[in-house]
């Protein structure tokens, strides 16, 4: 269950205090923004794309291809600035639950959202991470500030929340900061309950949902796969998860705090609505706290039977279908809800009709679902107490200091993995240069071989032609071996990366490879192909 870290300034503002790993060029200025960011926003103000003379000449070409027409007409939309990885979203620390639930995206819709986002003009790749404590969108954007605007406008349209209101609560992270944030999320460092494990399963689900979806491509898929590796490594090499609680256990602890001591064991009637991943954890924590009988409402009995098999024989779990929910609620003192329903299961009207709880107590609702399963106005009733995921902070704060100490060992791992990912991402810049340089050399080889064969006349045998071809390829491959080695880098070696980038620029200058133009052409071609599907 993903969330951001406890509210200690030493933790929640870690990225704000973190210096930028890559200082921006001196010619950039920084516009004022109300957006809550972890680091100072780095916008590129040079938003016009300048093409070479050969590209500009296409404007006079009467018989231009669709790609050429789009390329020349898109000069004010596609820029030469490097693609940016951006994280935009809301979380438990920046936005209240009533706003987060409007942006919650069911897992079944993630693939469609990726396609919708990549249909925007400046979004190349995308992924969605939507849990009860966060809704974060990760994109690779052709233009940083235009990509942010397009995604924010899309979020506003999808949720009905005005853009100015969204911006007051958004997190907005760029490049290394966005990568580090996702690594911290997967490691459980960015959760409400530090070290909780369910968020790693949710990050894995992002990769599973994105498989084969256009737009869940190289950079984003590699980012999430490495985040999974980071999460596993942190939990293996540190004791971050030892003794930690989950959102579900915090929900049970909260209910205990609101009830009289040992009332679970003695008198309280417990109802759990939903037997999915969260509901299963609630049931297990209830049993661990001494609850020997509980009623579980679910659509089917299969999941309830599976939970029964995992618990001790002295724990009685009574299954009831969803149609019996209100009847079961009438007999319950404490109700936990954790379903994926997109509309409230308990409204003010139907809760008002429930009989009063015995001994004059108020019926307790602990709702850990997003969107909420219990209508917010139920809390206005004198017969009910309603708690949601935002109310778990008082439980989590109890042992916060101990968990913060455990997190220190994980930060070194995340920093190391961040450097690896950034080196890999930067090394991708050399790929177009490698392709263009190979193509250039191949054109020279083929041309010179053709000249040689034409001088030798028409009587050259097939064997001689094959020998000449093998000779030319052998010379080319041996000559290319050195340059190709110096256009690839060891992702663990920062010095190697800087050398690769310098070699790439040198080859571009010496052979006029125009790889920036080819990159723009490829990006536009991908956008065209997606638009045609």
């Amino acid at each position: 269950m993903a969330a951001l870290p406890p509210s200690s300034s030493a933790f929640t503002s870690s990225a704000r205090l973190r210096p930028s790993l890559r200082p921006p060029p001196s010619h950039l200025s920084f516009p004022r923004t109300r957006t809550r960011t972890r680091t100072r926003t780095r916008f590129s103000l040079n938003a016009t794309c300048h093409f070479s003379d050969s590209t500009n000449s296409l404007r006079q070409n009467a018989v231009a291809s669709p790609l050429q027409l789009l390329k020349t007409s898109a000069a004010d939309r596609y820029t030469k600035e490097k693609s940016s990885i951006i994280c935009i979203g809301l979380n438990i620390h920046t936005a209240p639950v009533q706003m987060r639930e409007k942006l919650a995206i069911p897992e079944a819709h993630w693939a469609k959202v990726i396609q919708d986002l990549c249909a925007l003009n400046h979004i190349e790749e995308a992924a969605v991470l939507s849990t009860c404590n966060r809704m974060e969108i990760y994109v690779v954007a052709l233009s940083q500030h235009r990509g942010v605007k397009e995604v924010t406008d899309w979020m506003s349209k999808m949720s009905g929340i005005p853009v100015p209101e969204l911006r007051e609560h958004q997190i907005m992270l760029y490049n290394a900061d966005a990568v580090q944030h996702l690594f911290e999320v997967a490691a459980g460092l960015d959760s409400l309950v530090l070290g909780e494990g369910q968020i790693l399963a949710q990050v894995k689900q992002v990769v599973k949902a994105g498989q084969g979806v256009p737009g869940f491509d190289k950079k984003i898929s590699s980012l999430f796969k490495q985040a999974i590796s980071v999460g596993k490594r942190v939990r293996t090499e540190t004791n971050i998860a030892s003794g930690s609680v989950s959102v579900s256990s915090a929900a049970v602890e909260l209910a205990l705090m609101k009830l009289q001591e040992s009332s679970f064991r003695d008198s309280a009637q417990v109802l759990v609505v939903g037997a999915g991943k969260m509901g299963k954890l609630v049931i297990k924590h209830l049993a661990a706290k001494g609850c020997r009988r509980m009623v579980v409402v679910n659509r089917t009995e299969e999941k309830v039977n599976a939970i029964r098999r995992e618990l001790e024989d002295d724990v009685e779990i009574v299954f009831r279908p969803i149609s019996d929910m209100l009847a079961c609620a009438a007999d319950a003192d404490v109700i936990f809800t954790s379903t994926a329903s997109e509309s409230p299961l308990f409204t003010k009207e139907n809760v008002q009709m429930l009989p009063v709880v015995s001994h004059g107590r108020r019926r307790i609702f602990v709702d850990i679902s997003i969107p909420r399963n219990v209508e917010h106005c139920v809390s206005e009733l004198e017969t009910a107490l309603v708690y949601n995921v935002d109310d778990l902070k008082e439980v989590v704060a109890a042992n916060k200091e101990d968990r913060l100490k455990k997190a220190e060992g994980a930060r070194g791992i995340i920093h190391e993995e961040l450097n690896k990912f950034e080196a890999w991402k930067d090394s991708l810049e050399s790929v177009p240069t490698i392709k263009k340089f190979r193509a250039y050399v191949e054109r020279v080889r083929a041309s010179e071989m053709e000249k040689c064969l034409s001088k030798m006349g028409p009587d050259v045998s097939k064997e001689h032609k094959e020998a000449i071809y093998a000779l030319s390829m052998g010379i080319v491959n041996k000559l290319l071996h050195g340059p190709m080695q110096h256009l690839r880098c060891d992702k663990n070696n920062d010095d190697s990366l800087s050398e690769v980038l310098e070699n790439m620029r040198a080859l571009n200058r010496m052979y006029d490879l125009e790889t920036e133009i080819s990159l723009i052409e490829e990006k536009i071609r991908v956008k065209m192909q997606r638009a045609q599907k």
Side-chain angles (χ1 to χ4, degrees), residues 222-256:
S222 296
L223 170 61
F224 273 81
K225 287 174 183 177
Q226 186 154 349
I228 293 169
S229 298
V230 171
K232 291 178 178 177
R233 186 180 168 194
V234 165
R235 286 169 174 80
T236 300
E237 298 181 23
T238 73
N239 62 349
I240 186 69
S242 63
S244 68
V245 292
S246 66
V247 170
S248 299
S249 67
V252 173
E253 291 288 348
L254 178 63
L256 276 171

Side-chain angles (χ1 to χ4, degrees), residues 275 296-305 319-322:
V296 179
V297 168
N298 198 52
R299 295 188 184 280
T300 62
E301 193 173 1
E302 285 79 5
K303 289 185 177 180
V304 178
N305 287 334
F319 166 76
R320 290 289 184 269
I322 197 75

Side-chain angles (χ1 to χ4, degrees), residues 107-128:
E107 185 180 313
H109 297 170
W110 288 358
K112 177 65 165 56
V113 169
I114 291 172
Q115 294 175 342
D116 289 347
L117 289 169
C118 290
L120 301 174
N121 283 342
H122 296 87
I123 304 303
E124 292 182 275
E125 303 180 32
V128 179

Side-chain angles (χ1 to χ4, degrees), residues 377-403:
C377 53
V378 171
S379 60
E380 299 171 3
L381 298 174
E382 293 184 358
T383 57
L385 289 171
V386 181
Y387 302 97
N388 57 52
V389 288
D390 287 6
D391 298 310
L392 301 180
K393 295 176 184 177
E394 64 175 294
V395 177
V396 173
N399 58 346
K400 179 180 62 179
E401 290 303 321
D402 179 59
R403 293 196 309 276

Side-chain angles (χ1 to χ4, degrees), residues 5-18 38 93 400-401 404 411:
S7 55
S8 123
S9 59
F11 207 81
T12 59
S13 60
S14 63
R16 292 189 184 94
L17 300 176
R18 187 170 60 246
R38 285 191 163 191
H93 289 286
K400 179 180 62 179
E401 290 303 321
L404 285 175
R411 295 199 177 279

Side-chain angles (χ1 to χ4, degrees), residues 72 88 111 169 190 208 220 232 239 265 311 333 342 356 363 384 401 437 439 447 467 479 504 524 531 533:
T72 55
I88 308 173
H169 297 275
D190 208 41
K208 183 178 179 181
I220 286 292
K232 291 178 178 177
N239 62 349
R265 186 175 295 108
L311 295 178
D333 301 316
E342 296 184 33
V356 177
R363 183 174 281 107
E401 290 303 321
F437 187 50
S447 174
L479 290 175
M504 178 195 75
I524 296 173
K533 290 181 179 179

Side-chain angles (χ1 to χ4, degrees), residues 48-59 61 64-80 436 514 516-525 527-528:
T48 302
C49 180
H50 303 286
F51 294 94
S52 68
D53 291 340
S54 61
T55 305
N56 286 328
S57 66
L58 293 172
R59 292 172 180 157
N61 190 344
S65 69
L67 175 61
Q68 291 168 336
L69 289 173
L70 179 57
K71 183 174 70 173
T72 55
S73 67
D76 61 338
R77 289 177 17 205
Y78 295 96
T79 72
K80 281 187 180 180
K436 295 280 281 189
E514 295 184 347
E516 286 186 342
I517 298 299
S518 68
L519 274 172
I520 294 171
E521 290 175 344
E522 182 59 29
K523 290 173 180 179
I524 296 173
R525 184 180 290 106
K527 299 296 289 185
M528 284 184 63

